[in-house]
Amino acid sequence: MVLYSDSELAQILDKEVFHLVGDAADALGVECYVVGGYVRDIFLQRPSNDIDVVVVGSGIEVAKEVKRRLGRKAHLSVFKNFGTAQVKQGDMELEFVGARRESYSHDSRKPIVEDGTLEDDQNRRDFTINACAICLNRQRFGELVDPFDGIYDMEDGIIRTPLDPDVTFSDDPLRMLRCVRFATQLRFDIEPETFDALGRNAERLRIISGERISEELNKIMRCSHPSIGFDYLYRSGLLAIILPELVALDNVATQNGRAHKNNYYHTMEVLENVCRATANPAPEDQERVLWLRWAALLHDIGKMKVRRWDPAIGWTFHNHNYVGAKMVPQIFRRLKQPLDMKMKYVQKLVDLHMRPIVIADEVVTDSAVRRLLNDAGDDIDDLMTLCEADITSKNEGRKKHFLENFRVVREKLADLKEKDYKRLLQPVIDGNEIMQLFNLQPSREVGELKKALKDAVLDNLVANEREPLMQLLIEKASMMGLSPVDGGAKNSQPAEAIPSDAS
């Protein structure tokens, strides 16, 4: 955080685009200001590409004049219904809007908008740190207008609303999630009265669409330490509305003096471990990392549904991974998260997250590793990252045991991958050929024969070669009362293409 004088701000904004906008406004006889995130990030010394300009008058007319001055290379988009316009040229993107005042009805976050002053426009802003404005008109170029001392809140690391937080959050409940998101991104504290207002207005979040909630959640999940955001969401009561399944994990039962761990705080620890392992992802990996973090958040989501007390061994959570995987689509559907391969990826990791731990708790066998790699496929590295993050035991000896065995698992996985695991693990005789060989339709018998071949390959009992696999297939089929047709195995050839899901 750096405090700048008006003259220093004028030097920072001494760029052709800002002078051009100011001159266009002067030509039309109106005031204009750069506002919001761009101004905030100047003081926080953060890169920002979003330039929002407020005009005390018609933002659309100033945008048209800016487009005229930039020439044919610039592109103008006008949104009359919203009173806004956008000018783009290359990587530069300017958003123009007229200063306005807003009022809200209780059952909607869509405001009634009227023309207003700069003061009106700053009053309607969500937080003081986003309410600062810098004048672009020639006579006042670089002058800061900060009626709510937003720069001092930046200096103190505080998120605070410009006006009464109850009114701010009740008017537009999405601002509550933005409050948490900014606090998480910037590592700021939420001012006490503002935080208390989150709890008082939590129920208002129910009028917000799943899409908008998910957009903010994903931004929180991309932060360096998303557990900070989830702590604010939980303590304010917002998380109980968004993800009650996660809140349910904060429940520790005791029987005969034995208690299980708190699975909510364990989940937060796992999430932070995954974030540590995926810090600063390359641009091409950012989406994958986001959904890996979601898998960490939801990996134990099924535990409360399967929690049982067994007098012989204590508290159990058998099949919580399977139950949790079944819950993932329900949660994604409710939050309007994508139901495509991203959801299936999260579901897969939740389902498989116990497998490496079971392997690492025993002697690491080649057979178990081959089966794990077969089931996880290309997601095996992410699964291993999740499972290593899941080791949060305070017993250092047990933790060391697991992590050492995970190292062995990774070595065996690397060896398999080097040998082209897809070729090694998929039997060279497939379901299509089995159906042709025994004149079968898609059926349970075909599935059993395929499984017999696959198990033999995974357990390294038979080389993944045609002749030994065919011999095993004939033997297994004979035990099931099946005989090959058309001369048997020697004459069998792969069938014509049959959809792979037919078997």
Side-chain angles (χ1 to χ4, degrees):
M1 165 68 193
V2 177
L3 293 175
Y4 295 108
S5 65
D6 288 354
S7 60
E8 289 171 326
L9 290 174
Q11 291 180 347
I12 291 170
L13 294 180
D14 188 18
K15 300 175 183 177
E16 182 180 358
V17 61
F18 292 116
H19 288 295
L20 187 147
V21 171
D23 290 345
D26 285 337
L28 296 174
V30 294
E31 297 175 25
C32 75
Y33 302 82
V34 59
V35 298
Y38 192 87
V39 177
R40 178 197 69 225
D41 289 340
I42 287 175
F43 289 97
L44 295 179
Q45 297 184 300
R46 284 159 40 102
S48 181
N49 297 318
D50 298 327
I51 305 175
D52 294 328
V53 177
V54 163
V55 177
V56 185
S58 173
I60 292 176
E61 291 305 312
V62 173
K64 288 179 178 179
E65 177 64 16
V66 169
K67 159 68 172 78
R68 187 187 69 78
R69 292 174 181 237
L70 286 172
R72 285 186 291 179
K73 290 185 178 180
H75 177 72
L76 171 68
S77 300
V78 175
F79 310 96
K80 287 186 178 180
N81 290 343
F82 299 96
T84 65
Q86 180 189 79
V87 177
K88 293 184 69 173
Q89 184 181 51
D91 295 334
M92 182 190 71
E93 188 172 306
L94 302 168
E95 300 280 349
F96 293 85
V97 65
R100 61 194 187 185
R101 66 167 63 95
E102 297 176 344
S103 57
Y104 293 80
S105 62
H106 188 73
D107 60 350
S108 172
R109 61 179 291 266
K110 185 177 180 180
I112 300 169
V113 178
E114 302 172 280
D115 291 341
T117 64
L118 175 64
E119 181 182 2
D120 291 327
D121 200 86
Q122 289 178 300
N123 286 343
R124 74 177 181 84
R125 297 280 163 174
D126 51 7
F127 308 110
T128 60
I129 63 172
N130 294 332
C132 301
I134 302 175
C135 188
L136 296 180
N137 297 93
R138 185 175 293 273
Q139 287 192 338
R140 297 170 54 210
F141 190 85
E143 179 184 314
L144 175 67
V145 183
D146 180 20
F148 306 109
D149 292 330
I151 59 169
Y152 296 111
D153 284 347
M154 286 185 238
E155 187 176 36
D156 294 336
I158 290 174
I159 303 294
R160 180 169 61 89
T161 58
L163 303 178
D164 183 344
D166 285 307
V167 175
T168 297
F169 294 150
S170 180
D171 281 350
D172 184 354
L174 186 66
R175 289 169 176 163
M176 294 189 285
L177 293 185
R178 285 170 56 83
C179 176
V180 172
R181 189 245 297 177
F182 281 122
T184 309
Q185 284 180 332
L186 302 175
R187 303 292 297 274
F188 280 13
D189 294 324
I190 300 176
E191 182 264 336
E193 181 58 26
T194 300
F195 178 79
D196 291 343
L198 294 176
R200 291 193 294 268
N201 293 276
E203 285 296 321
R204 291 283 289 155
L205 198 64
R206 297 189 189 278
I207 72 169
I208 304 298
S209 70
E211 290 90 344
R212 299 308 300 273
I213 289 174
S214 286
E215 183 179 341
E216 291 299 325
L217 283 180
N218 286 342
K219 288 178 180 178
I220 291 171
M221 289 290 271
R222 293 180 192 276
C223 293
S224 300
H225 299 282
S227 67
I228 294 173
F230 281 98
D231 178 58
Y232 280 127
L233 291 173
Y234 185 24
R235 290 192 293 112
S236 66
L238 294 171
L239 191 61
I241 295 170
I242 300 170
L243 269 172
E245 300 91 341
L246 196 59
V247 173
L249 294 179
D250 186 15
N251 183 311
V252 177
T254 302
Q255 185 81 19
N256 295 346
R258 297 174 66 181
H260 60 75
K261 67 185 174 187
N262 185 305
N263 288 296
Y264 174 79
Y265 292 106
H266 163 73
T267 294
M268 291 299 105
E269 192 172 351
V270 174
L271 177 59
E272 284 297 313
N273 288 343
V274 166
C275 290
R276 193 176 302 112
T278 59
N280 303 314
E284 64 272 17
D285 290 330
Q286 289 178 1
E287 279 299 299
R288 179 185 58 79
V289 164
L290 170 64
W291 302 113
L292 173 56
R293 293 179 179 188
W294 268 99
L297 187 72
L298 301 180
H299 80 286
D300 276 349
I301 206 74
K303 276 192 168 179
M304 289 302 102
K305 290 183 178 291
V306 300
R307 180 176 64 184
R308 298 290 184 274
W309 170 257
D310 184 331
I313 58 176
W315 290 104
T316 68
F317 301 93
H318 295 316
N319 292 324
H320 74 273
N321 54 309
Y322 174 77
V323 172
K326 291 290 186 183
M327 295 168 66
V328 169
Q330 303 166 16
I331 293 170
F332 269 49
R333 193 172 293 112
R334 187 179 73 237
L335 293 178
K336 300 298 189 292
Q337 290 279 27
L339 299 177
D340 55 10
M341 295 307 295
K342 296 167 185 173
M343 183 275 288
K344 292 184 182 300
Y345 165 88
V346 173
Q347 187 178 29
K348 178 181 182 180
L349 293 193
V350 171
D351 189 21
L352 293 178
H353 82 271
M354 291 299 294
R355 289 276 297 280
I357 293 175
V358 171
I359 293 173
D361 201 22
E362 302 168 352
V363 177
V364 181
T365 66
D366 290 349
S367 174
V369 172
R370 291 163 73 91
R371 288 177 177 278
L372 176 65
L373 183 52
N374 176 74
D375 292 341
D378 294 334
D379 300 319
I380 185 63
D381 289 331
D382 290 345
L383 177 62
M384 292 300 298
T385 297
L386 172 59
C387 291
E388 288 165 346
D390 199 15
I391 305 303
T392 62
S393 173
K394 300 302 182 285
N395 182 326
E396 289 301 320
R398 183 165 173 77
K399 188 173 183 178
K400 183 178 180 181
H401 163 76
F402 272 111
L403 294 178
E404 174 59 23
N405 277 11
F406 276 139
R407 185 188 63 76
V408 175
V409 171
R410 281 193 179 273
E411 286 180 356
K412 290 180 180 291
L413 288 169
D415 184 55
L416 270 175
K417 283 199 242 182
E418 191 176 330
K419 294 177 180 176
D420 186 5
Y421 76 91
K422 289 182 179 178
R423 178 182 59 80
L424 285 172
L425 302 184
Q426 298 300 321
V428 295
I429 300 174
D430 63 12
N432 292 330
E433 187 170 356
I434 291 171
M435 285 189 286
Q436 185 188 40
L437 180 60
F438 297 100
N439 195 24
L440 294 171
Q441 295 298 314
S443 60
R444 178 180 56 82
E445 287 84 358
V446 176
E448 288 186 12
L449 292 172
K450 282 179 61 179
K451 185 176 185 303
L453 297 185
K454 192 164 193 175
D455 286 347
V457 170
L458 291 175
D459 291 333
N460 209 21
L461 300 176
V462 175
N464 193 9
E465 299 171 359
R466 186 171 186 79
E467 186 174 341
L469 277 179
M470 185 61 72
Q471 181 178 345
L472 176 63
L473 175 62
I474 298 298
E475 291 174 359
K476 177 65 175 176
S478 177
M479 294 170 61
M480 297 168 60
L482 299 174
S483 300
V485 297
D486 297 331
K490 290 183 179 179
N491 296 326
S492 67
Q493 296 296 328
E496 291 185 15
I498 298 173
S500 59
D501 59 354
S503 57

Short mmCIF file of all heavy atoms in Angstrom, two decimals, residues 39 72 89 141 152 174 192 207 261 277 288 326 431:
data_model
loop_
_atom_site.label_atom_id
_atom_site.label_comp_id
_atom_site.label_asym_id
_atom_site.label_seq_id
_atom_site.Cartn_x
_atom_site.Cartn_y
_atom_site.Cartn_z
N VAL A 39 -8.60 2.25 -9.51
CA VAL A 39 -8.05 3.21 -8.55
C VAL A 39 -7.52 2.47 -7.32
O VAL A 39 -6.42 2.74 -6.83
CB VAL A 39 -9.13 4.24 -8.14
CG1 VAL A 39 -8.57 5.19 -7.07
CG2 VAL A 39 -9.60 5.02 -9.35
N ARG A 72 -10.97 4.17 -36.48
CA ARG A 72 -11.61 2.92 -36.90
C ARG A 72 -11.08 1.69 -36.19
O ARG A 72 -11.75 0.66 -36.14
CB ARG A 72 -11.45 2.74 -38.41
CG ARG A 72 -12.37 3.64 -39.22
CD ARG A 72 -12.28 3.33 -40.69
NE ARG A 72 -10.98 3.72 -41.26
CZ ARG A 72 -10.65 3.55 -42.52
NH1 ARG A 72 -11.49 2.97 -43.36
NH2 ARG A 72 -9.46 3.93 -42.97
N GLN A 89 -9.84 -1.32 -27.79
CA GLN A 89 -8.83 -1.18 -28.83
C GLN A 89 -7.63 -2.02 -28.41
O GLN A 89 -6.96 -1.70 -27.43
CB GLN A 89 -8.43 0.27 -29.05
CG GLN A 89 -7.43 0.44 -30.21
CD GLN A 89 -7.02 1.88 -30.41
OE1 GLN A 89 -6.62 2.55 -29.47
NE2 GLN A 89 -7.12 2.37 -31.64
N PHE A 141 -7.02 17.11 -13.42
CA PHE A 141 -6.47 15.80 -13.76
C PHE A 141 -5.62 15.26 -12.60
O PHE A 141 -4.69 15.92 -12.12
CB PHE A 141 -5.61 15.90 -15.03
CG PHE A 141 -5.20 14.57 -15.58
CD1 PHE A 141 -6.04 13.86 -16.43
CD2 PHE A 141 -3.97 14.01 -15.26
CE1 PHE A 141 -5.67 12.64 -16.95
CE2 PHE A 141 -3.58 12.78 -15.78
CZ PHE A 141 -4.44 12.09 -16.62
N TYR A 152 -7.31 5.12 3.41
CA TYR A 152 -6.86 4.79 4.76
C TYR A 152 -7.32 3.40 5.18
O TYR A 152 -6.63 2.70 5.94
CB TYR A 152 -7.33 5.86 5.75
CG TYR A 152 -6.71 7.20 5.46
CD1 TYR A 152 -7.47 8.25 4.97
CD2 TYR A 152 -5.33 7.39 5.63
CE1 TYR A 152 -6.89 9.48 4.68
CE2 TYR A 152 -4.74 8.63 5.34
CZ TYR A 152 -5.52 9.67 4.85
OH TYR A 152 -4.94 10.87 4.55
N LEU A 174 -25.45 -9.96 -2.96
CA LEU A 174 -24.22 -10.50 -3.54
C LEU A 174 -23.00 -9.78 -2.96
O LEU A 174 -21.90 -10.34 -2.92
CB LEU A 174 -24.24 -10.36 -5.06
CG LEU A 174 -23.06 -11.01 -5.80
CD1 LEU A 174 -23.10 -12.53 -5.64
CD2 LEU A 174 -23.06 -10.63 -7.28
N PRO A 192 -15.62 -4.85 12.08
CA PRO A 192 -16.58 -5.57 12.92
C PRO A 192 -18.05 -5.31 12.61
O PRO A 192 -18.84 -6.25 12.53
CB PRO A 192 -16.20 -5.11 14.34
CG PRO A 192 -14.74 -4.82 14.25
CD PRO A 192 -14.54 -4.22 12.89
N ILE A 207 -31.95 -14.91 -2.39
CA ILE A 207 -32.50 -14.35 -3.63
C ILE A 207 -31.45 -14.29 -4.74
O ILE A 207 -31.75 -13.91 -5.87
CB ILE A 207 -33.11 -12.95 -3.41
CG1 ILE A 207 -32.01 -11.90 -3.18
CG2 ILE A 207 -34.12 -12.96 -2.28
CD1 ILE A 207 -32.52 -10.46 -3.22
N LYS A 261 -12.16 -36.97 14.86
CA LYS A 261 -11.65 -35.63 14.58
C LYS A 261 -12.75 -34.75 14.00
O LYS A 261 -13.76 -35.25 13.47
CB LYS A 261 -10.47 -35.71 13.60
CG LYS A 261 -10.84 -36.19 12.20
CD LYS A 261 -9.58 -36.35 11.36
CE LYS A 261 -9.91 -36.97 10.00
NZ LYS A 261 -8.68 -37.29 9.24
N ALA A 277 0.38 -26.98 -2.52
CA ALA A 277 0.97 -27.83 -3.56
C ALA A 277 0.69 -27.32 -4.97
O ALA A 277 1.36 -27.73 -5.92
CB ALA A 277 0.45 -29.26 -3.42
N ARG A 288 -7.72 -26.55 -14.09
CA ARG A 288 -7.56 -27.86 -13.46
C ARG A 288 -7.34 -27.70 -11.96
O ARG A 288 -7.91 -28.44 -11.14
CB ARG A 288 -6.40 -28.61 -14.11
CG ARG A 288 -6.13 -29.99 -13.51
CD ARG A 288 -4.89 -30.61 -14.13
NE ARG A 288 -3.71 -29.80 -13.96
CZ ARG A 288 -2.99 -29.72 -12.84
NH1 ARG A 288 -3.36 -30.42 -11.77
NH2 ARG A 288 -1.92 -28.95 -12.77
N LYS A 326 -21.46 -39.44 -4.74
CA LYS A 326 -22.87 -39.35 -5.15
C LYS A 326 -23.46 -37.97 -4.85
O LYS A 326 -24.40 -37.53 -5.51
CB LYS A 326 -23.69 -40.42 -4.42
CG LYS A 326 -23.39 -41.85 -4.84
CD LYS A 326 -23.89 -42.12 -6.24
CE LYS A 326 -23.73 -43.59 -6.61
NZ LYS A 326 -24.15 -43.85 -8.02
N GLY A 431 -14.05 -56.21 -25.50
CA GLY A 431 -15.41 -56.73 -25.44
C GLY A 431 -16.00 -57.06 -26.79
O GLY A 431 -16.77 -58.03 -26.93
#
